[in-house]
Amino acid sequence: MSTKKEDVYPSYLKLFQNGELKRRAEELWNRMKQCDLCPRNCRVNRLDDQRGFCKASSTLKIASFGPHFGEEKELVGTGGSGTIFFSHCSMLCVFCFNHEISHLDQGEVTTCDGLAKIMLHLQEIGCSNINLVTPTHYIPHILKAILIAVQGGLILPLVYNSSGYEKVEILKYLDGIVDIYLPDFKFGCNEYAGKYAGGAYDYVEVTQRAILEMNRQVGVLEVDQKTRIAKRGLMIRHLVMPNNVSCSDKVIEWIAQNLPRETYINIMSQYHPSFKAKNFPEISRKISHSEFEEVIKHAKKQGLINAKPQE
């Protein structure tokens, strides 16, 4: 089923028309000369093929793309969420499910024009949105690709699907471009974030500030009343981990105290010990039913009416 222009009104069309999208794309591209796109602030010259923590240069690399039917139902619709998985990552969690992509450089080199063609292809085959997975280090490329894709007729909402470890300064470039933010809130304690996520001992405060900015930009999730597909808003994911190393109680309490009680939260049960998790006894097993249920109960107790157990 093709998408009709009157069915969706993505944010980025106005910024394309007034030239602001192009200006932001160029400014972000130049920031790669001393890259500070993520909280790692490596300051390497990616335009000269230098590589920082994420191991990405200025060459765009995509691991896979296609309609995804395993995302939240509000993103899937009948045609699937149009996911684009970018290679590399600024988090590098030791338990990463997609470590071949994030840690091991799997993917194919492409261009901004190639990325634009992928976006248009996903729209043509009937996807509900363009779902940018692990996009942080490629934001300049994404904005340049949108410039090209809009001229080819792109009208789908953009989903920014990230680790949550984002800089507010950079997120402000996406204001009026991203329609749906889909951040992880992985850890409620810096101790465990640092241990399992590449020394990100500032993860909690950085992610809290980022999620507040995302909420400021797009607000509580809005869905189309007919299709039940997400149009705009914030959707938070939280992965429950064994032995509460995710500090789920602290994550839930912060959301309850700082965001609207209608905030959408997907509480996820899918943790399994991937990649290097076996080297850490406390995370070398799946979670128990009781561990998961405890988090669900805590979310209800905190009054979060849209905290949903993973389907």
Side-chain angles (χ1 to χ4, degrees), residues 12 60 62 65 82-84 86 112-127 129-132 138-139 141-150 152-158:
Y12 51 80
L60 177 60
I62 294 174
F65 63 89
T83 50
I84 304 172
F86 294 96
C112 296
D113 185 66
L115 175 56
K117 289 177 180 177
I118 290 171
M119 293 177 177
L120 290 170
H121 168 72
L122 294 172
Q123 176 171 282
E124 179 63 27
I125 64 175
C127 292
N129 43 62
I130 302 299
N131 189 339
L132 307 164
Y138 287 130
I139 295 175
H141 306 73
I142 291 167
L143 265 59
K144 285 196 169 191
I146 295 169
L147 282 167
I148 300 167
V150 168
L154 184 71
I155 55 171
L156 288 183
L158 294 180

Side-chain angles (χ1 to χ4, degrees), residues 72 93 95-98 163 183-188 203 236-249 251-252 255 265-274 283 285-287 291-292 295-296 308 310:
E72 287 80 355
C93 299
F95 54 86
C96 183
F97 303 164
N98 296 316
S163 67
D184 291 332
F185 197 156
K186 293 178 181 289
F187 301 99
Y203 178 85
I236 299 173
R237 287 174 170 171
H238 176 66
L239 179 67
V240 180
M241 294 183 65
N243 295 304
N244 198 31
V245 302
S246 49
C247 296
S248 298
D249 51 338
V251 170
I252 295 297
I255 293 172
I265 311 163
N266 182 4
I267 301 176
M268 306 176 78
S269 60
Q270 68 188 49
Y271 177 82
H272 62 274
S274 302
I283 61 170
R285 63 167 175 85
K286 295 182 179 180
I287 64 169
E291 285 176 315
F292 185 67
V295 179
I296 299 299
K308 304 174 183 291
Q310 183 177 28

Side-chain angles (χ1 to χ4, degrees), residues 211-223:
I211 288 176
L212 288 173
E213 172 62 18
M214 294 174 186
N215 183 71
R216 183 194 69 79
Q217 290 184 23
V218 298
V220 172
L221 183 68
E222 301 174 28
V223 298

Side-chain angles (χ1 to χ4, degrees), residues 3 8 10 12 66-68 71-84 118-133 154-161 179-180 182 221 228-232 235:
T3 303
V8 288
Y12 51 80
H68 195 333
E71 300 286 70
E72 287 80 355
K73 65 180 181 180
E74 292 85 357
L75 297 176
V76 172
T78 57
S81 182
T83 50
I84 304 172
I118 290 171
M119 293 177 177
L120 290 170
H121 168 72
L122 294 172
Q123 176 171 282
E124 179 63 27
I125 64 175
C127 292
S128 300
N129 43 62
I130 302 299
N131 189 339
L132 307 164
V133 185
L154 184 71
I155 55 171
L156 288 183
L158 294 180
V159 181
Y160 191 84
N161 184 342
D179 300 282
I180 300 162
L182 183 61
L221 183 68
R228 305 308 299 168
I229 296 173
K231 298 190 299 182
R232 180 179 175 83
M235 305 173 72

Side-chain angles (χ1 to χ4, degrees), residues 248-260:
S248 298
D249 51 338
K250 295 183 183 297
V251 170
I252 295 297
E253 288 164 12
W254 182 86
I255 293 172
Q257 293 166 13
N258 293 275
L259 294 171

